[in-house]
Amino acid sequence: MLRTILAVLIACLTLVGGAATALYFYNRPAELRVAVAQGTQDFRLLTAAAQAFSHQHEPVRLKVVPVVDTAAAAAALEQGSAELAVARSDALPPSAQAIVILHRNAALLVAPGGSKIKRVADLRGKKIGVVQEIVAARGNVRLLETILAQYEIPEQGFATVTLQPAEVGAALRAGKIDAVFLVTLPQIGPASDVIHQIVAGSKKPPVFLPVAEAKAIAKRYPTLEETEIVHGAFGGDPPRPDQALETTSVTVLLVGRSSIPASVAGEATRQFLTHRSTIAALAPLANNIEAPSTDKDSAVPAHQGVIDFIDGNEHGFFDKYSDFFYLGAMLASLVGSAAAALASRMRTKTHERSEQLIERLLEILPAARATQDIAELDDYERELDQALVSAVADLRLRNMDATALHVVSLALDQARLAIQERRRSLCEARGELAKGELAKGEVAAFPGLRKIPAAE
């Protein structure tokens, strides 16, 4: 009984421990490494997001991995050294899937006031200053080449000078460039400062060059989009620009590997959208965070977990693992049935073995009482000893129930008692016989000896 209680207690503790361990691993925060170019606005944005998620004790945490540029971030994602990366839609890694849109950057072509440059086609043969946060990066140069190719201006038809935002004014004054190209959010970042430098150099309103064929470019390159810079987006009096400006835009996304679990990817998207205002307190760029498109024909495919979250098809713990629970219950039922069948078979075998032993002991009992040979009694006694040894050594007999054990013990005792009594009887009979033979011998040796009658 005590052994059964201990076995049940151990089984219960094992189940509780297993459930606690599973719950711990299920609720443990998932850490995702995110590769992002160091020194950029996106680096500050992701650092702020990592702090916000940690302070809010969210189930998905970020570990920012600084890299030299967006190309290095894409390489880190492809090589598996990061689960997430910040990438532009026009330079996505092959395996990237969208988690969230961080912001949309407009392509802006500006010439100084008084310049003869009035439209994009006038940039043929000109020197264009390409503003980059990271000088070694080539993303904006490639985008400029794509836009100018629409106007049949080949790469050899213009020159580019890579500049950081603070270098634009000096480059214009020195005549190193004729126009400026930057890719940025009009309201946030270096755009307003660059426009101010252009105005300060010429003392005239800058000339904004519309990309009127932005829709056609987007058709040719689905990773680019048509957008509009609103009237007065860069402030000033008169407003800059003086009218709405059509141009091309590129989307900056947080992308992830397809191997990220769907629940983790969906949770990451939820956290970015939920804590957008909290992140924006540290990095205003976060106000532009938005959910990615879940259309199947989207140029940038969304992660399946993100699609489930946005479409409201997220699965809870039991939804996700219901199949495992069902299969586990079936397996447990099969194992239980097999164990019960095995136990029943073992009990049957034990019962058969005990019945055979009892039957043999009951055969020895009358045989011992009827035998006339002491040697045969010795054989029976040796058989009883062997039966005792077998009962102790045989696992099936050791697992006999109390009733069978009592019957075997009783039969064994009775058989042994019968052997002892029969041995004593045979020995006494042989002793009387020996005495009678001795008396006959004395009478024959002494003929005059007669038996004296008992006194009356």
Side-chain angles (χ1 to χ4, degrees):
M1 183 65 181
L2 180 60
R3 185 179 300 176
T4 302
I5 294 174
L6 289 175
V8 172
L9 181 60
I10 291 172
C12 291
L13 290 176
T14 302
L15 288 174
V16 171
T21 303
L23 188 62
Y24 167 75
F25 281 105
Y26 179 74
N27 291 323
R28 186 177 61 175
E31 184 179 75
L32 299 178
R33 296 167 296 177
V34 52
V36 57
Q38 190 172 15
T40 62
Q41 295 183 78
D42 294 320
F43 183 85
R44 291 187 288 273
L45 171 60
L46 269 298
T47 301
Q51 294 177 3
F53 296 166
S54 179
H55 291 162
Q56 296 295 328
H57 304 287
E58 290 289 356
V60 174
R61 310 290 174 84
L62 300 180
K63 181 181 179 181
V64 178
V65 179
V67 294
V68 294
D69 55 22
T70 54
L77 185 72
E78 287 297 295
Q79 295 167 4
S81 57
E83 292 78 33
L84 301 174
V86 175
R88 289 179 16 163
S89 60
D90 59 344
L92 283 177
S95 62
Q97 295 183 344
I99 302 297
V100 72
I101 293 175
L102 298 178
H103 49 91
R104 301 177 189 271
N105 287 352
L108 189 63
L109 279 163
V110 188
S115 171
K116 295 181 179 180
I117 301 173
K118 303 299 180 183
R119 57 196 186 98
V120 175
D122 296 337
L123 293 173
R124 188 186 301 272
K126 303 298 182 182
K127 295 175 290 185
I128 304 172
V130 180
V131 180
Q132 290 270 178
E133 288 184 289
I134 301 174
V135 176
R138 296 284 299 170
N140 288 354
V141 174
R142 288 193 297 269
L143 180 58
L144 175 62
E145 293 170 353
T146 300
I147 293 174
L148 295 185
Q150 176 68 27
Y151 297 89
E152 298 183 345
I153 304 177
E155 295 180 22
Q156 300 79 14
F158 63 96
T160 59
V161 178
T162 302
L163 301 171
Q164 288 190 310
E167 299 173 339
V168 172
L172 284 170
R173 288 191 298 271
K176 293 182 178 180
I177 57 175
D178 301 305
V180 177
F181 177 73
L182 65 156
V183 183
T184 184
L185 277 170
Q187 298 83 4
I188 300 174
S192 296
D193 180 61
V194 170
I195 298 301
H196 179 74
Q197 292 181 58
I198 295 172
V199 173
S202 63
K203 305 299 182 182
K204 296 180 180 179
V207 179
F208 292 92
L209 308 180
V211 183
E213 287 71 26
K215 184 179 293 185
I217 294 174
K219 288 288 186 181
R220 181 178 297 179
Y221 303 99
T223 55
L224 302 177
E225 297 177 343
E226 175 195 10
T227 191
E228 183 181 81
I229 299 176
V230 298
H231 170 245
F234 302 103
D237 185 22
R240 313 181 191 112
D242 55 2
Q243 59 183 352
L245 186 67
E246 187 177 2
T247 187
T248 298
S249 71
V250 63
T251 305
V252 179
L253 307 105
L254 180 66
V255 295
R257 299 170 61 86
S258 59
S259 59
I260 299 176
S263 58
V264 175
E267 180 60 30
T269 301
R270 184 198 66 79
Q271 290 176 197
F272 271 99
L273 298 177
T274 301
H275 298 293
R276 182 164 41 196
S277 58
T278 303
I279 302 171
L282 301 174
L285 191 61
N287 287 315
N288 298 277
I289 292 175
E290 59 182 284
S293 172
T294 59
D295 293 341
K296 293 183 178 180
D297 59 349
S298 175
V300 183
H303 193 285
Q304 184 59 48
V306 178
I307 296 174
D308 292 340
F309 166 72
I310 295 175
D311 294 344
N313 295 325
E314 284 185 296
H315 300 294
F317 178 82
F318 288 101
D319 293 329
K320 290 185 291 185
Y321 299 105
S322 59
D323 291 342
F324 291 101
F325 285 128
Y326 178 72
L327 293 175
M330 289 184 60
L331 182 61
S333 176
L334 291 174
V335 171
S337 299
L342 181 61
S344 176
R345 184 174 180 83
M346 290 297 294
R347 285 195 298 270
T348 302
K349 290 289 186 182
T350 300
H351 181 70
E352 290 177 355
R353 187 72 179 88
S354 63
E355 286 294 327
Q356 292 173 0
L357 180 59
I358 293 170
E359 184 177 349
R360 180 55 185 158
L361 292 175
L362 293 179
E363 289 175 354
I364 292 175
L365 182 61
R369 293 188 183 278
T371 186
Q372 299 294 327
D373 188 359
I374 292 180
E376 192 173 353
L377 290 176
D378 292 340
D379 292 339
Y380 288 149
E381 193 159 13
R382 281 192 294 271
E383 190 172 352
L384 291 183
D385 292 339
Q386 185 60 40
L388 179 61
V389 171
S390 299
V392 174
D394 194 332
L395 181 61
R396 291 173 295 179
L397 292 177
R398 280 190 290 174
N399 291 330
M400 288 186 294
D401 56 30
T403 303
L405 185 61
H406 176 70
V407 172
V408 170
S409 177
L410 180 61
L412 189 63
D413 291 342
Q414 292 300 316
R416 197 177 294 280
L417 182 60
I419 291 171
Q420 292 173 355
E421 290 179 351
R422 187 57 180 166
R423 186 188 301 278
R424 186 166 47 252
S425 299
L426 291 176
C427 288
E428 288 176 355
R430 289 189 177 188
E432 290 296 329
L433 179 60
K435 288 180 181 181
E437 290 177 352
L438 178 61
K440 289 179 181 180
E442 289 175 350
V443 172
F446 305 96
L449 183 63
R450 296 286 185 272
K451 185 178 180 181
I452 301 173
E456 298 181 0

